[in-house]
Amino acid sequence: MPTSHQHRHDVVVVGARAAGSATALLLARMGHDVAVLERAQFPSDTLSTHSVSRSGVVQLSRWGLIDQVLASGAPAVRQVTFHVGGESVTRQVKQHAGVDLLVAPRRRVLDAIVADAAQAAGADIRFGITVTGLRHDDGRVVGVTARDSAGAALELDSRFVVGADGLRSRVARSVGAAIDVAGHSHGATHYAYYVGPAWHGHEFFVADGTFAGVFPTNDGEACIWVCSPTDHADRIRRSAASLDGAFDDMLAAAAPELAGRLRWASRTSPVRGARHLPNQVRQAFGPGWALVGDAGYHRDAITGHGISDAFRDAELLAVALDGALRGELYEIAALAGYQRQRNEAIREIFGITCGLADFPPVAEFVALQKRLSRAIEAEAAALAARPVPGRRQLAVA
Ligand SMILES: Cc1cc2nc3c(=O)[nH]c(=O)nc-3n(C[C@H](O)[C@H](O)[C@H](O)COP(=O)(O)OP(=O)(O)OC[C@H]3O[C@@H](n4cnc5c(N)ncnc54)[C@H](O)[C@@H]3O)c2cc1C
């Protein structure tokens, strides 16, 4: 028999990575009773490279977490180099929106830092718990059913359930959240970790039909990645003996100079990859529920912006839920406001992402990268100008 908790949480969040832990952190700091259910155990990695763009760094800085991220050994990235057609242009990361660095911490590091901060703020985070369904009353979501790693069933009651459970969100499927915007899904990203040479900040290699790069990360390693259309990656995969061999071939074709440098490096991980990455925007809320992060908005990895999207939307949602929970706003007005703000915030970069994932000719690809960079700078400035939710509790901690 499921054990039903008599206690009714303000919010149950499903998923404890970028979107879920950030939402819980801010809600807890604003004084709400939040439970987070995560089926994985932390610390653990997930299928993702992990460059945090300036807007994501602004969020980590505003929430008081950037020092911990840097203390983990994730290097402060202060220069970015673009290699195009045999020419290289290096730019220093300037001070803007209150930050002067980029960073690419391993997900096992970043997600644990945000989850620990949420726990320290009072959120009840439970790992090894899989949400199996939603509970309804009179058309409204009123909680979740779940099971622990030993198979024991449990139920939690809440005023709101937040689906921060990623692309294949069970919450989104259970409520039948509509996909409001659907782009194509032909992009693929493959990556692996290397140790050996000195890394010189982020590097990007643009070639016809491919985009590759270097993100220096924890433990002296770098994440080396290649984005391409899925059919291109599949062709190379079919002609190679293994995924590792295919990655070598992808890299040699996309960035021969980098592949040459890596001959003196050791690969420290298996190659991982994702194919047919969707570009889609889902309906973000309904009676008693809301979606945040990849569960609500997924884009190709080519812009490396998913973590930053999750951090931005976590704050938009937490502030909306705070208004509803305090009775300052009608629930529908609060959540419709969240959806509107999210959709406005994503519009430009979503369009650029779809454009880049089409792999236009190199000159057009570079022009889109320049637009992306300006859009991220504008987003970072807008986030930096917002009041920090739960700032008082942050000051006390
Ligand atoms: C190959 C690749 C490369 C990428 N590179 C970058 C990059 O460089 N920079 C960047 O910013 N973004 C990148 N992204 C995107 C980024 O990984 C995502 O946008 C980000 O992880 C979204 O965070 P999230 O919290 O919404 O979802 P997720 O990270 O997917 O987390 C969802 C969590 O929910 C949990 N969960 C799911 N279902 C249940 C359930 N039923 N019960 C309990 N728990 C559940 C999962 O265990 C998981 O921990 C990349 C993505 C891919 C695929």
Side-chain angles (χ1 to χ4, degrees), residues 14-15 17-19 37-39 47-51 107 129-131 164-166 170 189 215 274 277 293-294 299 301 304-308:
V14 185
R17 290 199 186 270
L37 305 180
E38 166 58 59
R39 68 181 172 202
L47 178 66
S48 175
T49 69
H50 33 76
S51 149
R107 290 298 296 270
I129 306 281
T130 301
V131 169
D165 47 347
R170 180 182 284 273
T189 298
F215 296 149
L277 289 162
D294 279 8
R299 85 308 304 132
H305 204 57
I307 298 166
S308 303

PDB file of all heavy atoms in Angstrom, residues 14-15 17-19 37-39 47-51 107 129-131 164-166 170 189 215 274 277 293-294 299 301 304-308, ligand 1:
ATOM      1  N   VAL A  14       9.777  17.597  -9.470  1.00  0.00           N
ATOM      2  CA  VAL A  14      10.239  16.295  -9.977  1.00  0.00           C
ATOM      3  C   VAL A  14      11.506  16.542 -10.793  1.00  0.00           C
ATOM      4  O   VAL A  14      11.470  17.207 -11.829  1.00  0.00           O
ATOM      5  CB  VAL A  14       9.158  15.630 -10.864  1.00  0.00           C
ATOM      6  CG1 VAL A  14       9.612  14.223 -11.275  1.00  0.00           C
ATOM      7  CG2 VAL A  14       7.822  15.588 -10.142  1.00  0.00           C
ATOM      8  N   GLY A  15      12.647  16.029 -10.289  1.00  0.00           N
ATOM      9  CA  GLY A  15      13.932  16.246 -10.974  1.00  0.00           C
ATOM     10  C   GLY A  15      14.764  17.259 -10.220  1.00  0.00           C
ATOM     11  O   GLY A  15      14.258  18.313  -9.813  1.00  0.00           O
ATOM     12  N   ARG A  17      18.084  18.396 -11.161  1.00  0.00           N
ATOM     13  CA  ARG A  17      19.290  18.949 -11.816  1.00  0.00           C
ATOM     14  C   ARG A  17      19.125  20.458 -12.009  1.00  0.00           C
ATOM     15  O   ARG A  17      18.586  21.126 -11.128  1.00  0.00           O
ATOM     16  CB  ARG A  17      19.576  18.174 -13.103  1.00  0.00           C
ATOM     17  CG  ARG A  17      20.044  16.759 -12.768  1.00  0.00           C
ATOM     18  CD  ARG A  17      20.757  16.093 -13.907  1.00  0.00           C
ATOM     19  NE  ARG A  17      21.050  14.720 -13.561  1.00  0.00           N
ATOM     20  CZ  ARG A  17      22.167  14.288 -12.954  1.00  0.00           C
ATOM     21  NH1 ARG A  17      23.134  15.114 -12.647  1.00  0.00           N
ATOM     22  NH2 ARG A  17      22.336  13.009 -12.668  1.00  0.00           N
ATOM     23  N   ALA A  18      19.618  20.985 -13.151  1.00  0.00           N
ATOM     24  CA  ALA A  18      19.711  22.447 -13.279  1.00  0.00           C
ATOM     25  C   ALA A  18      18.380  23.134 -12.968  1.00  0.00           C
ATOM     26  O   ALA A  18      18.318  24.068 -12.157  1.00  0.00           O
ATOM     27  CB  ALA A  18      20.175  22.790 -14.689  1.00  0.00           C
ATOM     28  N   ALA A  19      17.302  22.653 -13.583  1.00  0.00           N
ATOM     29  CA  ALA A  19      16.020  23.347 -13.427  1.00  0.00           C
ATOM     30  C   ALA A  19      15.397  23.063 -12.062  1.00  0.00           C
ATOM     31  O   ALA A  19      14.925  23.982 -11.383  1.00  0.00           O
ATOM     32  CB  ALA A  19      15.068  22.917 -14.543  1.00  0.00           C
ATOM     33  N   LEU A  37      11.941  15.355  -5.703  1.00  0.00           N
ATOM     34  CA  LEU A  37      12.122  13.913  -5.890  1.00  0.00           C
ATOM     35  C   LEU A  37      12.989  13.683  -7.117  1.00  0.00           C
ATOM     36  O   LEU A  37      12.672  14.172  -8.214  1.00  0.00           O
ATOM     37  CB  LEU A  37      10.759  13.231  -6.062  1.00  0.00           C
ATOM     38  CG  LEU A  37       9.756  13.488  -4.921  1.00  0.00           C
ATOM     39  CD1 LEU A  37       8.442  12.762  -5.184  1.00  0.00           C
ATOM     40  CD2 LEU A  37      10.341  13.079  -3.576  1.00  0.00           C
ATOM     41  N   GLU A  38      14.070  12.958  -6.934  1.00  0.00           N
ATOM     42  CA  GLU A  38      15.033  12.732  -8.025  1.00  0.00           C
ATOM     43  C   GLU A  38      15.353  11.246  -8.064  1.00  0.00           C
ATOM     44  O   GLU A  38      15.746  10.655  -7.063  1.00  0.00           O
ATOM     45  CB  GLU A  38      16.293  13.568  -7.763  1.00  0.00           C
ATOM     46  CG  GLU A  38      17.501  13.217  -8.595  1.00  0.00           C
ATOM     47  CD  GLU A  38      17.274  13.320 -10.111  1.00  0.00           C
ATOM     48  OE1 GLU A  38      16.936  14.416 -10.594  1.00  0.00           O
ATOM     49  OE2 GLU A  38      17.443  12.280 -10.797  1.00  0.00           O
ATOM     50  N   ARG A  39      15.208  10.638  -9.245  1.00  0.00           N
ATOM     51  CA  ARG A  39      15.409   9.185  -9.306  1.00  0.00           C
ATOM     52  C   ARG A  39      16.881   8.802  -9.255  1.00  0.00           C
ATOM     53  O   ARG A  39      17.221   7.705  -8.814  1.00  0.00           O
ATOM     54  CB  ARG A  39      14.733   8.607 -10.544  1.00  0.00           C
ATOM     55  CG  ARG A  39      15.356   9.019 -11.839  1.00  0.00           C
ATOM     56  CD  ARG A  39      14.622   8.441 -13.030  1.00  0.00           C
ATOM     57  NE  ARG A  39      15.156   9.026 -14.244  1.00  0.00           N
ATOM     58  CZ  ARG A  39      14.522   9.078 -15.387  1.00  0.00           C
ATOM     59  NH1 ARG A  39      13.308   8.581 -15.490  1.00  0.00           N
ATOM     60  NH2 ARG A  39      15.085   9.616 -16.438  1.00  0.00           N
ATOM     61  N   LEU A  47      23.803  13.087 -19.425  1.00  0.00           N
ATOM     62  CA  LEU A  47      24.212  13.185 -20.829  1.00  0.00           C
ATOM     63  C   LEU A  47      24.207  14.660 -21.253  1.00  0.00           C
ATOM     64  O   LEU A  47      23.167  15.191 -21.635  1.00  0.00           O
ATOM     65  CB  LEU A  47      23.242  12.380 -21.701  1.00  0.00           C
ATOM     66  CG  LEU A  47      23.511  12.416 -23.205  1.00  0.00           C
ATOM     67  CD1 LEU A  47      24.824  11.741 -23.541  1.00  0.00           C
ATOM     68  CD2 LEU A  47      22.366  11.750 -23.960  1.00  0.00           C
ATOM     69  N   SER A  48      25.357  15.321 -21.138  1.00  0.00           N
ATOM     70  CA  SER A  48      25.401  16.753 -21.446  1.00  0.00           C
ATOM     71  C   SER A  48      26.844  17.247 -21.395  1.00  0.00           C
ATOM     72  O   SER A  48      27.585  16.862 -20.490  1.00  0.00           O
ATOM     73  CB  SER A  48      24.584  17.525 -20.397  1.00  0.00           C
ATOM     74  OG  SER A  48      24.680  18.913 -20.574  1.00  0.00           O
ATOM     75  N   THR A  49      27.226  18.081 -22.349  1.00  0.00           N
ATOM     76  CA  THR A  49      28.411  18.896 -22.103  1.00  0.00           C
ATOM     77  C   THR A  49      27.941  20.022 -21.175  1.00  0.00           C
ATOM     78  O   THR A  49      26.773  20.037 -20.768  1.00  0.00           O
ATOM     79  CB  THR A  49      29.032  19.406 -23.421  1.00  0.00           C
ATOM     80  OG1 THR A  49      28.163  20.362 -24.022  1.00  0.00           O
ATOM     81  CG2 THR A  49      29.280  18.253 -24.386  1.00  0.00           C
ATOM     82  N   HIS A  50      28.766  20.978 -20.804  1.00  0.00           N
ATOM     83  CA  HIS A  50      28.367  21.761 -19.637  1.00  0.00           C
ATOM     84  C   HIS A  50      28.974  23.157 -19.605  1.00  0.00           C
ATOM     85  O   HIS A  50      29.378  23.655 -18.540  1.00  0.00           O
ATOM     86  CB  HIS A  50      28.719  20.982 -18.358  1.00  0.00           C
ATOM     87  CG  HIS A  50      29.962  20.156 -18.535  1.00  0.00           C
ATOM     88  ND1 HIS A  50      31.202  20.716 -18.538  1.00  0.00           N
ATOM     89  CD2 HIS A  50      30.128  18.837 -18.820  1.00  0.00           C
ATOM     90  CE1 HIS A  50      32.093  19.764 -18.784  1.00  0.00           C
ATOM     91  NE2 HIS A  50      31.471  18.605 -18.964  1.00  0.00           N
ATOM     92  N   SER A  51      29.075  23.767 -20.778  1.00  0.00           N
ATOM     93  CA  SER A  51      29.494  25.156 -20.777  1.00  0.00           C
ATOM     94  C   SER A  51      28.343  26.000 -20.242  1.00  0.00           C
ATOM     95  O   SER A  51      27.211  25.866 -20.704  1.00  0.00           O
ATOM     96  CB  SER A  51      29.814  25.549 -22.219  1.00  0.00           C
ATOM     97  OG  SER A  51      29.541  26.892 -22.417  1.00  0.00           O
ATOM     98  N   ARG A 107      28.774  18.159 -14.696  1.00  0.00           N
ATOM     99  CA  ARG A 107      27.409  18.177 -14.162  1.00  0.00           C
ATOM    100  C   ARG A 107      27.363  17.533 -12.778  1.00  0.00           C
ATOM    101  O   ARG A 107      26.554  17.939 -11.940  1.00  0.00           O
ATOM    102  CB  ARG A 107      26.451  17.483 -15.130  1.00  0.00           C
ATOM    103  CG  ARG A 107      26.209  18.243 -16.418  1.00  0.00           C
ATOM    104  CD  ARG A 107      25.561  19.599 -16.199  1.00  0.00           C
ATOM    105  NE  ARG A 107      24.224  19.520 -15.641  1.00  0.00           N
ATOM    106  CZ  ARG A 107      23.113  19.448 -16.366  1.00  0.00           C
ATOM    107  NH1 ARG A 107      23.173  19.470 -17.678  1.00  0.00           N
ATOM    108  NH2 ARG A 107      21.931  19.395 -15.763  1.00  0.00           N
ATOM    109  N   ILE A 129      14.312   8.387  -5.756  1.00  0.00           N
ATOM    110  CA  ILE A 129      12.845   8.304  -5.762  1.00  0.00           C
ATOM    111  C   ILE A 129      12.341   8.603  -7.180  1.00  0.00           C
ATOM    112  O   ILE A 129      12.618   9.678  -7.725  1.00  0.00           O
ATOM    113  CB  ILE A 129      12.216   9.342  -4.802  1.00  0.00           C
ATOM    114  CG1 ILE A 129      12.800   9.217  -3.393  1.00  0.00           C
ATOM    115  CG2 ILE A 129      10.694   9.219  -4.823  1.00  0.00           C
ATOM    116  CD1 ILE A 129      12.252   8.096  -2.566  1.00  0.00           C
ATOM    117  N   THR A 130      11.645   7.655  -7.753  1.00  0.00           N
ATOM    118  CA  THR A 130      11.112   7.831  -9.109  1.00  0.00           C
ATOM    119  C   THR A 130       9.631   8.182  -9.033  1.00  0.00           C
ATOM    120  O   THR A 130       8.848   7.438  -8.418  1.00  0.00           O
ATOM    121  CB  THR A 130      11.274   6.522  -9.916  1.00  0.00           C
ATOM    122  OG1 THR A 130      12.664   6.200  -9.956  1.00  0.00           O
ATOM    123  CG2 THR A 130      10.739   6.670 -11.330  1.00  0.00           C
ATOM    124  N   VAL A 131       9.276   9.293  -9.630  1.00  0.00           N
ATOM    125  CA  VAL A 131       7.853   9.667  -9.690  1.00  0.00           C
ATOM    126  C   VAL A 131       7.180   8.804 -10.755  1.00  0.00           C
ATOM    127  O   VAL A 131       7.654   8.718 -11.893  1.00  0.00           O
ATOM    128  CB  VAL A 131       7.701  11.171  -9.972  1.00  0.00           C
ATOM    129  CG1 VAL A 131       6.258  11.527 -10.311  1.00  0.00           C
ATOM    130  CG2 VAL A 131       8.178  11.967  -8.768  1.00  0.00           C
ATOM    131  N   ALA A 164      10.421  19.174 -13.542  1.00  0.00           N
ATOM    132  CA  ALA A 164      11.771  19.584 -13.947  1.00  0.00           C
ATOM    133  C   ALA A 164      12.496  18.300 -14.326  1.00  0.00           C
ATOM    134  O   ALA A 164      13.653  18.094 -13.978  1.00  0.00           O
ATOM    135  CB  ALA A 164      12.474  20.308 -12.804  1.00  0.00           C
ATOM    136  N   ASP A 165      11.756  17.434 -15.009  1.00  0.00           N
ATOM    137  CA  ASP A 165      12.219  16.062 -15.230  1.00  0.00           C
ATOM    138  C   ASP A 165      12.686  15.821 -16.658  1.00  0.00           C
ATOM    139  O   ASP A 165      12.624  14.689 -17.151  1.00  0.00           O
ATOM    140  CB  ASP A 165      11.136  15.050 -14.811  1.00  0.00           C
ATOM    141  CG  ASP A 165       9.743  15.370 -15.339  1.00  0.00           C
ATOM    142  OD1 ASP A 165       9.539  16.496 -15.822  1.00  0.00           O
ATOM    143  OD2 ASP A 165       8.868  14.493 -15.281  1.00  0.00           O
ATOM    144  N   GLY A 166      13.179  16.885 -17.288  1.00  0.00           N
ATOM    145  CA  GLY A 166      13.930  16.721 -18.526  1.00  0.00           C
ATOM    146  C   GLY A 166      13.073  16.491 -19.764  1.00  0.00           C
ATOM    147  O   GLY A 166      11.841  16.500 -19.726  1.00  0.00           O
ATOM    148  N   ARG A 170       7.937  12.936 -17.529  1.00  0.00           N
ATOM    149  CA  ARG A 170       6.725  12.170 -17.194  1.00  0.00           C
ATOM    150  C   ARG A 170       5.597  13.118 -16.800  1.00  0.00           C
ATOM    151  O   ARG A 170       4.425  12.880 -17.098  1.00  0.00           O
ATOM    152  CB  ARG A 170       7.016  11.198 -16.039  1.00  0.00           C
ATOM    153  CG  ARG A 170       5.796  10.381 -15.651  1.00  0.00           C
ATOM    154  CD  ARG A 170       6.107   9.480 -14.484  1.00  0.00           C
ATOM    155  NE  ARG A 170       6.885   8.325 -14.857  1.00  0.00           N
ATOM    156  CZ  ARG A 170       6.357   7.168 -15.288  1.00  0.00           C
ATOM    157  NH1 ARG A 170       5.065   7.047 -15.396  1.00  0.00           N
ATOM    158  NH2 ARG A 170       7.132   6.163 -15.606  1.00  0.00           N
ATOM    159  N   THR A 189      25.138  15.628 -31.078  1.00  0.00           N
ATOM    160  CA  THR A 189      26.341  16.099 -30.371  1.00  0.00           C
ATOM    161  C   THR A 189      27.023  14.891 -29.735  1.00  0.00           C
ATOM    162  O   THR A 189      26.355  14.084 -29.074  1.00  0.00           O
ATOM    163  CB  THR A 189      25.971  17.121 -29.268  1.00  0.00           C
ATOM    164  OG1 THR A 189      25.369  18.256 -29.881  1.00  0.00           O
ATOM    165  CG2 THR A 189      27.201  17.576 -28.495  1.00  0.00           C
ATOM    166  N   PHE A 215      35.894  22.608 -23.960  1.00  0.00           N
ATOM    167  CA  PHE A 215      35.473  23.265 -22.720  1.00  0.00           C
ATOM    168  C   PHE A 215      36.364  22.747 -21.588  1.00  0.00           C
ATOM    169  O   PHE A 215      36.180  21.610 -21.110  1.00  0.00           O
ATOM    170  CB  PHE A 215      34.016  22.925 -22.364  1.00  0.00           C
ATOM    171  CG  PHE A 215      32.966  23.408 -23.339  1.00  0.00           C
ATOM    172  CD1 PHE A 215      31.783  22.673 -23.496  1.00  0.00           C
ATOM    173  CD2 PHE A 215      33.115  24.570 -24.070  1.00  0.00           C
ATOM    174  CE1 PHE A 215      30.785  23.102 -24.367  1.00  0.00           C
ATOM    175  CE2 PHE A 215      32.124  25.007 -24.949  1.00  0.00           C
ATOM    176  CZ  PHE A 215      30.959  24.265 -25.099  1.00  0.00           C
ATOM    177  N   ALA A 274      24.274  12.276 -28.299  1.00  0.00           N
ATOM    178  CA  ALA A 274      22.818  12.363 -28.413  1.00  0.00           C
ATOM    179  C   ALA A 274      22.499  12.698 -29.859  1.00  0.00           C
ATOM    180  O   ALA A 274      23.157  13.556 -30.452  1.00  0.00           O
ATOM    181  CB  ALA A 274      22.276  13.434 -27.479  1.00  0.00           C
ATOM    182  N   LEU A 277      18.361  15.731 -31.692  1.00  0.00           N
ATOM    183  CA  LEU A 277      17.998  16.596 -30.564  1.00  0.00           C
ATOM    184  C   LEU A 277      16.821  17.492 -30.972  1.00  0.00           C
ATOM    185  O   LEU A 277      16.921  18.256 -31.931  1.00  0.00           O
ATOM    186  CB  LEU A 277      19.207  17.446 -30.166  1.00  0.00           C
ATOM    187  CG  LEU A 277      20.321  16.654 -29.484  1.00  0.00           C
ATOM    188  CD1 LEU A 277      21.641  17.424 -29.502  1.00  0.00           C
ATOM    189  CD2 LEU A 277      19.936  16.312 -28.057  1.00  0.00           C
ATOM    190  N   GLY A 293      12.752  24.073 -17.340  1.00  0.00           N
ATOM    191  CA  GLY A 293      13.923  23.411 -17.916  1.00  0.00           C
ATOM    192  C   GLY A 293      13.549  22.650 -19.178  1.00  0.00           C
ATOM    193  O   GLY A 293      12.566  22.965 -19.863  1.00  0.00           O
ATOM    194  N   ASP A 294      14.325  21.592 -19.464  1.00  0.00           N
ATOM    195  CA  ASP A 294      14.107  20.825 -20.699  1.00  0.00           C
ATOM    196  C   ASP A 294      12.699  20.245 -20.790  1.00  0.00           C
ATOM    197  O   ASP A 294      12.207  19.968 -21.886  1.00  0.00           O
ATOM    198  CB  ASP A 294      15.104  19.660 -20.786  1.00  0.00           C
ATOM    199  CG  ASP A 294      16.471  20.089 -21.285  1.00  0.00           C
ATOM    200  OD1 ASP A 294      16.699  21.310 -21.432  1.00  0.00           O
ATOM    201  OD2 ASP A 294      17.321  19.202 -21.524  1.00  0.00           O
ATOM    202  N   ARG A 299      16.089  22.597 -26.703  1.00  0.00           N
ATOM    203  CA  ARG A 299      16.732  23.098 -27.920  1.00  0.00           C
ATOM    204  C   ARG A 299      17.981  22.273 -28.187  1.00  0.00           C
ATOM    205  O   ARG A 299      18.545  21.652 -27.283  1.00  0.00           O
ATOM    206  CB  ARG A 299      17.014  24.612 -27.841  1.00  0.00           C
ATOM    207  CG  ARG A 299      18.232  25.153 -27.208  1.00  0.00           C
ATOM    208  CD  ARG A 299      18.634  24.758 -25.849  1.00  0.00           C
ATOM    209  NE  ARG A 299      17.675  24.971 -24.805  1.00  0.00           N
ATOM    210  CZ  ARG A 299      17.373  24.039 -23.917  1.00  0.00           C
ATOM    211  NH1 ARG A 299      17.955  22.829 -23.935  1.00  0.00           N
ATOM    212  NH2 ARG A 299      16.523  24.256 -22.957  1.00  0.00           N
ATOM    213  N   ALA A 301      21.726  21.136 -28.723  1.00  0.00           N
ATOM    214  CA  ALA A 301      22.856  21.470 -27.839  1.00  0.00           C
ATOM    215  C   ALA A 301      23.852  22.425 -28.499  1.00  0.00           C
ATOM    216  O   ALA A 301      24.797  22.874 -27.845  1.00  0.00           O
ATOM    217  CB  ALA A 301      23.559  20.188 -27.416  1.00  0.00           C
ATOM    218  N   GLY A 304      24.746  25.440 -26.589  1.00  0.00           N
ATOM    219  CA  GLY A 304      25.239  25.246 -25.213  1.00  0.00           C
ATOM    220  C   GLY A 304      24.519  26.152 -24.231  1.00  0.00           C
ATOM    221  O   GLY A 304      25.137  26.763 -23.358  1.00  0.00           O
ATOM    222  N   HIS A 305      23.174  26.208 -24.349  1.00  0.00           N
ATOM    223  CA  HIS A 305      22.453  27.202 -23.549  1.00  0.00           C
ATOM    224  C   HIS A 305      21.407  26.586 -22.621  1.00  0.00           C
ATOM    225  O   HIS A 305      20.682  27.304 -21.932  1.00  0.00           O
ATOM    226  CB  HIS A 305      21.792  28.205 -24.502  1.00  0.00           C
ATOM    227  CG  HIS A 305      21.525  29.538 -23.869  1.00  0.00           C
ATOM    228  ND1 HIS A 305      22.500  30.301 -23.289  1.00  0.00           N
ATOM    229  CD2 HIS A 305      20.383  30.227 -23.691  1.00  0.00           C
ATOM    230  CE1 HIS A 305      21.976  31.410 -22.802  1.00  0.00           C
ATOM    231  NE2 HIS A 305      20.681  31.384 -23.020  1.00  0.00           N
ATOM    232  N   GLY A 306      21.313  25.240 -22.584  1.00  0.00           N
ATOM    233  CA  GLY A 306      20.232  24.612 -21.823  1.00  0.00           C
ATOM    234  C   GLY A 306      20.321  24.841 -20.324  1.00  0.00           C
ATOM    235  O   GLY A 306      19.295  25.015 -19.653  1.00  0.00           O
ATOM    236  N   ILE A 307      21.528  24.829 -19.777  1.00  0.00           N
ATOM    237  CA  ILE A 307      21.680  25.032 -18.334  1.00  0.00           C
ATOM    238  C   ILE A 307      21.274  26.476 -18.000  1.00  0.00           C
ATOM    239  O   ILE A 307      20.548  26.728 -17.027  1.00  0.00           O
ATOM    240  CB  ILE A 307      23.138  24.761 -17.906  1.00  0.00           C
ATOM    241  CG1 ILE A 307      23.512  23.300 -18.192  1.00  0.00           C
ATOM    242  CG2 ILE A 307      23.356  25.110 -16.443  1.00  0.00           C
ATOM    243  CD1 ILE A 307      25.015  23.007 -18.134  1.00  0.00           C
ATOM    244  N   SER A 308      21.712  27.399 -18.847  1.00  0.00           N
ATOM    245  CA  SER A 308      21.378  28.815 -18.604  1.00  0.00           C
ATOM    246  C   SER A 308      19.880  29.049 -18.772  1.00  0.00           C
ATOM    247  O   SER A 308      19.272  29.811 -18.004  1.00  0.00           O
ATOM    248  CB  SER A 308      22.177  29.706 -19.555  1.00  0.00           C
ATOM    249  OG  SER A 308      23.556  29.449 -19.380  1.00  0.00           O
TER     250      SER A 308
HETATM  251  C1  LIG B   1      24.801  16.205 -25.717  1.00  0.00           C
HETATM  252  C2  LIG B   1      24.312  17.412 -24.971  1.00  0.00           C
HETATM  253  C3  LIG B   1      25.177  18.466 -24.740  1.00  0.00           C
HETATM  254  C4  LIG B   1      24.742  19.588 -24.035  1.00  0.00           C
HETATM  255  N1  LIG B   1      25.611  20.606 -23.791  1.00  0.00           N
HETATM  256  C5  LIG B   1      25.218  21.686 -23.062  1.00  0.00           C
HETATM  257  C6  LIG B   1      26.138  22.742 -22.745  1.00  0.00           C
HETATM  258  O1  LIG B   1      27.328  22.708 -23.085  1.00  0.00           O
HETATM  259  N2  LIG B   1      25.664  23.796 -22.020  1.00  0.00           N
HETATM  260  C7  LIG B   1      24.357  23.873 -21.626  1.00  0.00           C
HETATM  261  O2  LIG B   1      23.981  24.877 -21.000  1.00  0.00           O
HETATM  262  N3  LIG B   1      23.474  22.900 -21.911  1.00  0.00           N
HETATM  263  C8  LIG B   1      23.873  21.804 -22.601  1.00  0.00           C
HETATM  264  N4  LIG B   1      22.988  20.804 -22.876  1.00  0.00           N
HETATM  265  C9  LIG B   1      21.596  20.942 -22.408  1.00  0.00           C
HETATM  266  C10 LIG B   1      21.498  20.641 -20.914  1.00  0.00           C
HETATM  267  O3  LIG B   1      22.065  19.382 -20.630  1.00  0.00           O
HETATM  268  C11 LIG B   1      20.030  20.648 -20.489  1.00  0.00           C
HETATM  269  O4  LIG B   1      19.375  21.760 -21.028  1.00  0.00           O
HETATM  270  C12 LIG B   1      19.901  20.669 -18.975  1.00  0.00           C
HETATM  271  O5  LIG B   1      20.426  19.494 -18.420  1.00  0.00           O
HETATM  272  C13 LIG B   1      18.440  20.801 -18.576  1.00  0.00           C
HETATM  273  O6  LIG B   1      18.331  20.633 -17.187  1.00  0.00           O
HETATM  274  P1  LIG B   1      16.987  20.087 -16.557  1.00  0.00           P
HETATM  275  O7  LIG B   1      17.176  20.162 -15.088  1.00  0.00           O
HETATM  276  O8  LIG B   1      15.830  20.746 -17.188  1.00  0.00           O
HETATM  277  O9  LIG B   1      16.876  18.564 -17.051  1.00  0.00           O
HETATM  278  P2  LIG B   1      17.832  17.318 -16.820  1.00  0.00           P
HETATM  279  O10 LIG B   1      19.262  17.736 -16.697  1.00  0.00           O
HETATM  280  O11 LIG B   1      17.472  16.348 -17.899  1.00  0.00           O
HETATM  281  O12 LIG B   1      17.389  16.734 -15.408  1.00  0.00           O
HETATM  282  C14 LIG B   1      16.162  16.085 -15.237  1.00  0.00           C
HETATM  283  C15 LIG B   1      16.256  15.250 -13.970  1.00  0.00           C
HETATM  284  O13 LIG B   1      14.974  14.693 -13.716  1.00  0.00           O
HETATM  285  C16 LIG B   1      15.142  13.380 -13.226  1.00  0.00           C
HETATM  286  N5  LIG B   1      13.917  12.626 -13.518  1.00  0.00           N
HETATM  287  C17 LIG B   1      13.395  12.360 -14.731  1.00  0.00           C
HETATM  288  N6  LIG B   1      12.256  11.659 -14.601  1.00  0.00           N
HETATM  289  C18 LIG B   1      12.069  11.471 -13.267  1.00  0.00           C
HETATM  290  C19 LIG B   1      11.068  10.802 -12.513  1.00  0.00           C
HETATM  291  N7  LIG B   1      10.018  10.201 -13.093  1.00  0.00           N
HETATM  292  N8  LIG B   1      11.183  10.798 -11.167  1.00  0.00           N
HETATM  293  C20 LIG B   1      12.224  11.422 -10.551  1.00  0.00           C
HETATM  294  N9  LIG B   1      13.211  12.049 -11.236  1.00  0.00           N
HETATM  295  C21 LIG B   1      13.121  12.095 -12.572  1.00  0.00           C
HETATM  296  C22 LIG B   1      16.344  12.829 -13.998  1.00  0.00           C
HETATM  297  O14 LIG B   1      16.949  11.770 -13.282  1.00  0.00           O
HETATM  298  C23 LIG B   1      17.237  14.068 -14.094  1.00  0.00           C
HETATM  299  O15 LIG B   1      18.184  14.100 -13.052  1.00  0.00           O
HETATM  300  C24 LIG B   1      23.393  19.668 -23.589  1.00  0.00           C
HETATM  301  C25 LIG B   1      22.523  18.606 -23.814  1.00  0.00           C
HETATM  302  C26 LIG B   1      22.982  17.484 -24.503  1.00  0.00           C
HETATM  303  C27 LIG B   1      22.018  16.344 -24.732  1.00  0.00           C
END
